[in-house]
């Protein structure tokens, strides 16, 4: 059988931040790893440039007389850069006198959170891309009328910058399996999936296509299923839920310094987090699933058996994944279970919410069904924006939740499987070009910051050009 994988591209933010690269590790890698993690084919730079071209054209339009009547206080389009830089979250630009533009508040998002990234990943072809770019809402006039990139006549030049970036990138694994690596939206602050074009191309060429969505079934998987599959008319056959003993012990209250020691009590407390992800996939979305436990050398047999036993009570099998150390041989058991699930044909895939629901009903459905929360609290600004967006005709769009990846709730400190909580939506905005409404919850930021010890401190290059410290 022919198999192709379809993955997202790494962002330089995590590469130099806390996570490191995103090309895999050990004997489970896509190559060339260094090139993929650093610049790759230039897609990220094209996306950032298109984003910032639009920003420059907005400010230039205002400077040149503002024929569209754009209200500088109500511009929603932000600049972007593919780097974690908290200093750029909020800023004032246009200072220094009349010749330097009109002063206004502005800010930067990381490139992977840009609507341009979402548009590229959700476009069918170049004409579809251009149409989506044309529909981007950049802000409002003083009369509260939306202004689009099409009105600024920016969409053609933006499409020209993106024409090559729209094409999926073909690389391979260490064992020569073809891999499309294309698009890279984060799953906590964006929709977290690779491009529809890459996925469809893989489906045309292979018997089995393995793709991924960021973080857990509350973030990447929910958005993959409710947004990408809805827009792209895709229906997955089976789902692999990836877990580690270490992560589950962390959810059980163990500090990071003690994760290497056996702790069955903490593991038992953390497993309900995994069971909620299983419930989301199998019960809420109606898809068959297998749990893949990425095995670490410090995992004990008792810990692994506890996970296996608990998952079986939920009707889901567990397969140990040892691909990091053994390559494909370490994933044979997992692959066989995936093929078994597909061959059984037990998928009864359904969305969490319907198009006809209003925006608040969609958000409520995600919070109650996927996060396990009781309800939603809205800031006055969020309520006002929801009302306006529905009046503008955007109420039928899917919802992209921006939420912390550290918890099923919007509070990163609530580990395990929290109960009796509400999620706070502090702001709402429409990505009219991408085709969804973004609800920003808790304290999540669309521009991350670097950690206390960034990965960048360990990265170097020698005189021969060999890079070290990139992982």
């Amino acid at each position: 059988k022919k198999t192709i994988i379809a993955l997202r591209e790494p962002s330089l933010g995590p590469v130099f931040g806390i996570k490191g690269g995103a090309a895999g590790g050990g004997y489970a890698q896509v190559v060339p790893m260094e090139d993929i993690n650093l610049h790759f084919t230039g897609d990220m730079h094209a996306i950032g440039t298109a984003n910032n071209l639009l920003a420059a054209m907005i400010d230039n339009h205002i400077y040149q007389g503002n024929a569209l009547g754009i209200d500088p206080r109500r511009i929603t389009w932000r600049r972007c850069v593919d780097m974690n830089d908290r200093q750029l979250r909020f800023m004032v630009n246009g200072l220094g006198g009349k010749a330097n533009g009109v002063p206004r508040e502005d800010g930067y998002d990381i490139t992977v959170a840009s609507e341009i990234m979402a548009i590229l990943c959700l476009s069918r072809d170049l004409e579809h891309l251009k149409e989506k770019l044309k529909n981007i809402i950049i802000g409002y006039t003083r009369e509260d009328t939306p202004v689009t990139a099409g009105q600024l006549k920016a969409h053609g030049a933006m499409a020209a910058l993106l024409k090559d970036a729209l094409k999926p990138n073909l690389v391979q694994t260490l064992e020569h399996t073809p891999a499309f690596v294309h698009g890279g939206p984060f799953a906590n602050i964006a929709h977290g999936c690779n491009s529809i074009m890459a996925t469809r191309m893989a489906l045309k060429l292979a018997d089995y296509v393995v793709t991924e969505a960021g973080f857990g079934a509350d973030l990447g998987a929910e958005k993959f299923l409710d947004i990408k599959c809805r827009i792209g008319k895709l229906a997955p056959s089976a789902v692999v839920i990836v877990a580690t003993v270490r992560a589950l012990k962390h959810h059980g209250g163990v500090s990071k310094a003690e994760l290497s020691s056996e702790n069955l009590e903490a593991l038992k407390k953390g497993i309900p987090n995994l069971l909620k992800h299983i419930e989301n996939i199998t019960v809420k979305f109606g898809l068959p699933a297998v749990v893949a436990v990425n095995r670490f050398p410090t995992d004990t047999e008792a810990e692994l058996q506890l996970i296996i036993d608990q998952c079986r009570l939920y009707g889901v099998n567990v397969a140990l994944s040892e691909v990091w150390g053994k390559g494909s041989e370490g994933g044979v058991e997992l692959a066989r279970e995936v093929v078994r699930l597909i061959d059984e044909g037990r998928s009864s895939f359904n969305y969490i919410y319907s198009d006809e629901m209003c925006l608040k009903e969609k958000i409520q459905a995600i919070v109650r069904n996927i996060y396990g929360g009781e309800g939603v609290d809205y800031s006055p600004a969020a309520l006002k924006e929801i009302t306006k967006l529905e009046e503008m005709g955007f109420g039928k769009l899917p919802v992209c939740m921006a939420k912390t990846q550290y918890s099923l709730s919007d509070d990163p400190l609530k580990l395990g499987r929290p109960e009796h909580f509400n999620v706070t939506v502090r702001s709402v905005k429409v990505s009219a070009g991408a085709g969804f409404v973004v609800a920003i919850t808790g304290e999540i930021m669309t521009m991350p910051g670097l950690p206390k010890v960034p990965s960048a401190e360990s990265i170097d290059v020698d005189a021969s050009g060999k890079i070290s410290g990139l992982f």
Side-chain angles (χ1 to χ4, degrees), residues 210-415:
V210 180
T211 188
E212 53 85 34
F215 300 118
D218 58 324
L219 288 170
E222 186 274 318
K223 296 168 187 180
F224 174 85
L225 297 167
D226 274 328
I227 298 177
K228 180 178 176 178
C229 288
R230 191 189 305 255
I231 293 173
K233 296 179 172 54
L234 302 168
S237 303
V239 176
V240 177
I241 302 169
V242 181
T244 66
V245 170
R246 295 168 63 85
L248 294 176
K249 285 192 291 190
H250 174 67
H251 274 285
V254 175
S255 67
K256 291 182 181 179
E258 298 174 345
L259 290 176
S260 296
S261 301
E262 182 181 278
N263 191 328
L264 295 176
E265 192 61 34
L267 182 59
K268 197 175 237 183
K269 289 180 181 177
I271 283 177
N273 178 275
L274 172 60
L275 299 182
K276 176 55 181 165
H277 291 289
I278 293 171
E279 177 190 297
N280 286 348
I281 296 299
T282 59
V283 177
K284 305 299 184 181
F285 284 110
L287 291 166
V290 56
V291 172
V293 176
N294 271 344
R295 187 168 193 172
F296 280 68
T298 55
D299 298 346
T300 68
E301 292 300 325
E303 289 174 328
L304 294 170
Q305 192 60 49
L306 180 58
I307 295 175
I308 292 169
D309 293 342
Q310 289 294 307
C311 289
R312 277 182 180 159
L313 293 176
Y314 256 56
V316 172
N317 288 333
V318 174
L320 296 183
S321 174
E322 298 179 275
V323 293
W324 190 93
K326 298 180 179 179
S328 60
E329 287 185 13
V332 171
E333 178 191 2
L334 173 60
R336 284 178 176 155
E337 178 63 12
V338 171
V339 170
R340 184 188 72 80
L341 292 174
I342 293 171
D343 289 346
E344 283 184 353
R346 292 191 292 115
S347 174
S348 55
F349 174 49
N350 56 266
Y351 303 124
I352 290 299
Y353 53 82
S354 67
D355 292 335
E356 289 68 35
M357 288 181 175
C358 70
L359 293 176
K360 287 177 71 175
E361 288 174 333
K362 291 172 182 173
I363 294 170
Q364 182 95 320
I366 295 170
V367 169
R368 285 187 172 174
N369 290 293
I370 301 301
Y371 304 162
E374 292 186 344
V376 187
D377 298 321
Y378 296 92
S379 71
L383 286 173
K384 183 179 178 181
E385 190 66 18
I386 286 173
T387 300
K388 183 174 74 175
L389 292 179
E390 289 183 333
E391 290 173 351
M392 292 167 62
F394 295 119
K396 303 302 183 187
L397 295 181
V399 173
C400 180
M401 302 289 287
K403 182 186 78 71
T404 179
Q405 68 271 30
Y406 297 113
S407 172
L408 287 164
S409 74
D410 60 345
D411 181 351
L413 299 179
K414 289 181 178 176
L415 302 179

Side-chain angles (χ1 to χ4, degrees), residues 425-441:
V425 174
R426 76 170 196 268
S427 65
V428 175
K429 65 176 183 177
V430 63
S431 293
F436 54 69
V437 171
V438 180
I440 300 177
T441 70

